[in-house]
Amino acid sequence: NAGVTQTPKFRVLKTGQSMTLLCAQDMNHEYMYWYRQDPGMGLRLIHYSVGEGTTAKGEVPDGYNVSRLKKQNFLLGLESAAPSQTSVYFCASSYSPASGSVDIQYFGAGTRLSVL
Amino acid sequence: GENVEQHPSTLSVQEGDSAVIKCTYSDSASNYFPWYKQELGKGPQLIIDIRSNVGEKKDQRIAVTLNKTAKHFSLHITETQPEDSAVYFCAATLYSSASKIIFGSGTRLSIRP
């Protein structure tokens, strides 16, 4: 039972480079999320998805794009990385409210990204 | 929008003593308050939660209290053990609106042997 798996675990980019972070969940969850975690600022929502083929902006969406082509996968893209995007990125997933389950979010182990 | 403040940012307690972490929220419409524990190198994990129709909830050594009037809620850990060392996050949201969950800035709890 893998839960939520994030790849890669670590990455170093140069300013202007692009990359994609992959999140995969095996719990058949409807909702998926991308957060960034910065020192002293807790977790801030970047984008989220309430189902396959849907995405929506969170609190800090600028500079990021996402796609949810398959229910189990949620991709986070950085088109032109900037030093301000140096952070730890977490993916999470949860059941939908319609399932009757409280919206407990299950987190992956994180991706540590440095942009030089 | 919702704003969640969490205190203290760091906390060190002697093993066996109690630890208390406090959070305040701004949006009176929030009705669901989860607490997450993040161990080193791992993602956050839900440890306990409380809804606004309940004043207190316990689960073994951990408990959460909620004061809706004052808009603050607290996490209490009794008989602390080394494995309690971690970063703890409080959060506030509307139940069943998980996309709107707002996290506090975190408390790094250290347990001294």
Side-chain angles (χ1 to χ4, degrees):
Chain A
N1 52 343
V4 179
T5 303
Q6 291 183 233
T7 53
K9 289 183 169 48
F10 304 94
R11 185 71 185 269
V12 178
L13 291 178
K14 294 181 179 179
T15 297
Q17 286 185 318
S18 63
M19 76 162 295
T20 300
L21 282 67
L22 172 64
C23 176
Q25 53 93 4
D26 61 3
M27 297 173 282
N28 201 34
H29 284 167
E30 287 293 333
Y31 285 22
M32 296 188 74
Y33 316 82
W34 276 108
Y35 292 91
R36 60 177 289 171
Q37 184 177 38
D38 301 295
M41 300 187 73
L43 292 153
R44 291 183 293 168
L45 184 64
I46 304 171
H47 286 280
Y48 65 98
S49 168
V50 300
E52 182 178 321
T54 72
T55 63
K57 294 180 180 179
E59 181 185 358
V60 288
D62 294 342
Y64 306 95
N65 57 75
V66 289
S67 63
R68 183 99 181 268
L69 300 179
K70 294 182 179 180
K71 184 177 183 179
Q72 64 268 33
N73 295 336
F74 196 28
L75 279 62
L76 177 71
L78 285 74
E79 293 183 345
S80 179
S84 60
Q85 294 178 303
T86 293
S87 188
V88 181
Y89 292 85
F90 286 98
C91 175
S93 68
S94 70
Y95 290 107
S96 71
S99 72
S101 299
V102 66
D103 296 338
I104 298 171
Q105 297 195 12
Y106 296 83
F107 285 82
T111 295
R112 187 173 296 275
L113 175 67
S114 294
V115 182
L116 306 178
Chain B
E2 177 64 280
N3 182 51
V4 177
E5 294 190 359
Q6 182 173 348
H7 300 279
S9 58
T10 59
L11 179 61
S12 179
V13 301
Q14 194 77 30
E15 182 177 349
D17 288 350
S18 296
V20 180
I21 301 170
K22 298 181 178 181
C23 291
T24 61
Y25 61 99
S26 60
D27 190 347
S28 57
S30 291
N31 58 8
Y32 176 61
F33 307 92
W35 285 87
Y36 284 81
K37 176 183 181 182
Q38 185 179 21
E39 296 177 341
L40 193 62
K42 298 182 178 181
Q45 183 176 12
L46 181 75
I47 54 171
I48 195 167
D49 56 13
I50 191 168
R51 299 188 203 179
S52 60
N53 58 347
V54 176
E56 183 176 5
K57 184 177 179 180
K58 290 183 179 180
D59 183 3
Q60 299 182 339
R61 294 187 299 107
I62 60 173
V64 58
T65 59
L66 172 65
N67 183 326
K68 286 190 295 182
T69 302
K71 289 191 281 188
H72 64 71
F73 56 113
S74 301
L75 177 71
H76 304 253
I77 306 174
T78 59
E79 300 174 7
T80 53
Q81 299 171 5
E83 54 265 36
D84 294 329
S85 293
V87 178
Y88 292 81
F89 292 97
C90 63
T93 186
L94 277 173
Y95 183 70
S96 294
S97 297
S99 59
K100 305 299 183 185
I101 190 169
I102 301 298
F103 287 88
S105 55
T107 296
R108 182 174 299 278
L109 175 62
S110 300
I111 308 301
R112 303 191 303 272

